[in-house]
Amino acid sequence: MPNGSPSHIVKSYEEDLKRLREMIARMGGLAERQVADAADALIRRDNKLAAEVVARDKLLDDMEREVEQFCVRLLALRQPMAQDLRLIIACMKISQDLERIGDYARNGAKRAIVVSQQPLLGSLNGFERMAELVQENLKGAIDALVEEDHAQADAVWANDEPIDGIYNGIFREMLTFMMEDPRNITAATHLLFIAKNMERIGDHATNIAERVHFAVLGTPLTEERPKADVSTSAVVQPPA
Amino acid sequence: MPNGSPSHIVKSYEEDLKRLREMIARMGGLAERQVADAADALIRRDNKLAAEVVARDKLLDDMEREVEQFCVRLLALRQPMAQDLRLIIACMKISQDLERIGDYARNGAKRAIVVSQQPLLGSLNGFERMAELVQENLKGAIDALVEEDHAQADAVWANDEPIDGIYNGIFREMLTFMMEDPRNITAATHLLFIAKNMERIGDHATNIAERVHFAVLGTPLTEERPKADVSTSAVVQPPA
């Protein structure tokens, strides 16, 4: 903050930073809702809800642009230093993560519409659980930003492993469905991509947590993150 | 740039901006190479090269951090305005795109190792062509930044459609391989994800082009982008 500023300028600057955090919180809330609704649409075969998720994605694109514009204005007018500068940059990058999360949710919702017209494959319990965990991490990461709570950010960062575990299970399950009956292949392929999208949303929540940690403390979270997605090397054999 | 600065400060400021563009150019060059090598490793079944791509990805992570640190320093010390400010912010966001492109290339390289141990599926010509187009767009977008050439950025932005077209073809081809023989399912699934990764790399190249356009002109590329990925709604029938 510039030295010697009159107190009303200082106050309005603090309000600007508060407003920025609120913009990200609102954007995070919408991203969470998109993830929840995309999963619901899939599980309840609700194509109306899926279409709503697709239509609503534009809002996240607009919000990313608003965050960027607001940050540019803050940088130009306030010339922030140290922690404030880190916060503003983190918010810009987080808005990029949230926009990307929205893309994954929209893509999942589109695929849910196709899946709803195909034979039912299993219970989709794994998808429900995965969506819950991903939303939890996303919420935790955004709360950590709003409350400038690096310990909460670290907790989210360490909590990605169970999501990867469920994803690996779904990967094998879907390949098995495909091998059992070729009529399952279209649905299983789209379900695989939906699961992968959720896993990537989880990765973005982890990215956000890393950015919050850095914004609050000024030091990166460098430790190697526990990562349990082994599906890139998975081989599944057809039944003999 | 602050008014009334002595000319050596102005000069060093311009050198800083030049250095920033060079950092992004170097990062873009590495990202291109990762995409090219991941595709080569797949097509030539070269697992040594695939392992190199995986190992090299860390460099892109480090470069993203360096770009961010350099930008923070520029923002704090130089208090840039207008076009310079937009350039610095665009570079930060572009480094995030390039880091993500690296993740996709690494993921593709890991899957290429699995695919190399599975039965051969078709010619993989589509993958080769897709990788070429993606690299071309990525190079075009980075060149547009370095040369501050918004017309080149616009050309890249409009050039994503052929990539989506090839991806749609691969999607249908892989589902057909799966339906023909369950022993193809593991390879075809990994190939599907590799193709999707390349398609996403193409999307990031388009994002970079949008950011360059905005950085140079100060107005967003708002026109709806031609988008031809219809695979999210694709249904493929097993042979009767």
Side-chain angles (χ1 to χ4, degrees):
Chain A
M1 197 174 312
N3 284 329
S5 309
S7 69
H8 71 277
I9 293 189
V10 172
K11 188 165 169 240
S12 89
Y13 177 53
E14 274 161 16
E15 276 165 7
D16 280 347
L17 292 179
K18 188 165 164 255
R19 187 170 153 213
L20 176 58
R21 277 191 294 257
E22 282 166 0
M23 286 170 91
I24 296 288
R26 217 166 35 243
M27 199 179 168
L30 178 55
E32 264 175 65
R33 185 178 163 199
Q34 290 286 82
V35 174
D37 284 353
D40 262 13
L42 172 72
I43 290 156
R44 296 194 281 114
R45 298 189 157 222
D46 183 341
N47 291 344
K48 193 171 154 280
L49 185 60
E52 282 169 23
V53 171
V54 173
R56 232 186 275 137
D57 180 53
K58 212 198 144 294
L59 293 176
L60 284 172
D61 298 345
D62 294 342
M63 284 163 119
E64 188 198 2
R65 240 188 310 271
E66 279 165 32
V67 168
E68 177 168 334
Q69 280 164 4
F70 191 72
C71 288
V72 167
R73 210 167 59 85
L74 272 180
L75 289 170
L77 296 180
R78 307 296 190 176
Q79 301 169 344
M81 299 298 243
Q83 192 173 348
D84 291 345
L85 182 54
R86 286 200 311 269
L87 172 74
I88 293 168
I89 286 166
C91 285
M92 275 198 295
K93 293 201 155 193
I94 290 170
S95 74
Q96 197 171 341
D97 285 306
L98 292 173
E99 189 272 333
R100 204 76 203 159
I101 288 173
D103 285 349
Y104 286 124
R106 182 193 55 195
N107 186 281
K110 277 191 197 171
R111 293 181 192 277
I113 295 174
V114 183
V115 170
S116 75
Q117 292 144 358
Q118 295 287 320
L120 208 62
L121 299 187
S123 68
L124 304 185
N125 279 347
F127 288 85
E128 199 166 6
R129 185 75 194 115
M130 214 176 162
E132 281 166 8
L133 289 175
V134 161
Q135 280 170 73
E136 222 171 83
N137 275 4
L138 188 51
K139 187 174 181 319
I142 299 293
D143 286 351
L145 174 77
V146 174
E147 291 153 28
E148 299 188 75
D149 179 350
H150 62 87
Q152 186 166 5
D154 297 358
V156 168
W157 187 79
N159 205 30
D160 190 49
E161 239 179 318
I163 297 170
D164 290 340
I166 299 173
Y167 172 67
N168 293 329
I170 290 175
F171 188 92
R172 296 190 154 267
E173 192 189 1
M174 290 303 137
L175 261 61
T176 306
F177 278 125
M178 289 181 186
M179 287 169 184
E180 277 170 12
D181 187 340
R183 284 168 298 185
N184 293 338
I185 286 177
T186 292
T189 301
H190 288 293
L191 285 168
L192 265 183
F193 275 110
I194 294 174
K196 186 70 199 169
N197 286 344
M198 282 201 211
E199 191 262 340
R200 289 234 167 95
I201 293 172
D203 284 349
H204 280 282
T206 310
N207 284 352
I208 295 173
E210 284 180 28
R211 298 189 203 290
V212 172
H213 176 103
F214 182 73
V216 175
L217 294 182
T219 51
L221 248 172
T222 43
E223 197 189 326
E224 194 59 34
R225 183 163 66 89
K227 188 72 197 159
D229 173 12
V230 295
S231 76
T232 43
S233 333
V235 174
V236 177
Q237 299 296 341
Chain B
M1 198 173 313
N3 286 329
S5 307
S7 69
H8 72 276
I9 294 191
V10 172
K11 188 162 170 244
S12 90
Y13 177 54
E14 274 161 16
E15 276 165 8
D16 279 347
L17 292 179
K18 187 164 166 259
R19 187 170 154 213
L20 176 58
R21 276 192 293 259
E22 283 167 359
M23 285 170 92
I24 296 288
R26 215 164 40 241
M27 200 179 167
L30 178 55
E32 264 175 66
R33 184 178 165 198
Q34 290 286 82
V35 174
D37 284 353
D40 262 13
L42 172 71
I43 290 154
R44 296 195 280 112
R45 299 189 156 221
D46 183 342
N47 291 342
K48 191 171 155 282
L49 184 60
E52 280 169 25
V53 171
V54 173
R56 235 187 272 137
D57 180 53
K58 210 196 146 296
L59 293 176
L60 284 172
D61 298 346
D62 293 343
M63 284 163 119
E64 188 199 1
R65 239 188 311 271
E66 279 164 33
V67 168
E68 177 169 334
Q69 280 164 5
F70 191 72
C71 288
V72 167
R73 209 166 60 86
L74 272 180
L75 289 170
L77 295 180
R78 306 295 190 177
Q79 301 168 345
M81 298 298 244
Q83 190 174 349
D84 291 345
L85 182 53
R86 288 201 309 272
L87 172 74
I88 293 168
I89 287 167
C91 286
M92 273 198 297
K93 292 201 154 192
I94 290 170
S95 74
Q96 198 172 339
D97 285 306
L98 292 173
E99 189 273 332
R100 203 76 203 162
I101 288 174
D103 285 350
Y104 286 124
R106 182 192 55 197
N107 187 284
K110 277 191 197 171
R111 292 183 192 277
I113 295 172
V114 183
V115 170
S116 75
Q117 292 145 358
Q118 296 287 320
L120 209 61
L121 299 188
S123 68
L124 304 186
N125 280 347
F127 288 86
E128 198 165 7
R129 186 75 193 114
M130 213 176 163
E132 281 166 9
L133 290 175
V134 161
Q135 281 170 72
E136 222 171 81
N137 275 2
L138 187 52
K139 186 174 182 320
I142 299 293
D143 285 353
L145 174 78
V146 173
E147 292 153 25
E148 300 188 74
D149 179 349
H150 62 89
Q152 185 166 5
D154 297 357
V156 168
W157 186 79
N159 205 29
D160 191 50
E161 239 179 318
I163 297 170
D164 289 341
I166 300 173
Y167 172 68
N168 293 329
I170 290 176
F171 188 92
R172 297 191 153 266
E173 191 189 3
M174 290 303 139
L175 261 62
T176 306
F177 279 125
M178 288 181 185
M179 287 169 183
E180 277 170 11
D181 188 338
R183 283 168 297 185
N184 292 338
I185 287 177
T186 292
T189 301
H190 287 293
L191 286 168
L192 265 182
F193 275 111
I194 293 173
K196 187 70 198 168
N197 285 346
M198 282 198 209
E199 190 263 341
R200 290 235 167 95
I201 292 172
D203 284 348
H204 280 283
T206 310
N207 285 352
I208 293 173
E210 284 180 26
R211 299 190 202 291
V212 172
H213 176 103
F214 182 74
V216 175
L217 294 181
T219 52
L221 248 173
T222 45
E223 197 189 328
E224 193 60 32
R225 184 163 65 88
K227 187 73 197 161
D229 173 12
V230 295
S231 75
T232 43
S233 335
V235 173
V236 178
Q237 299 296 340

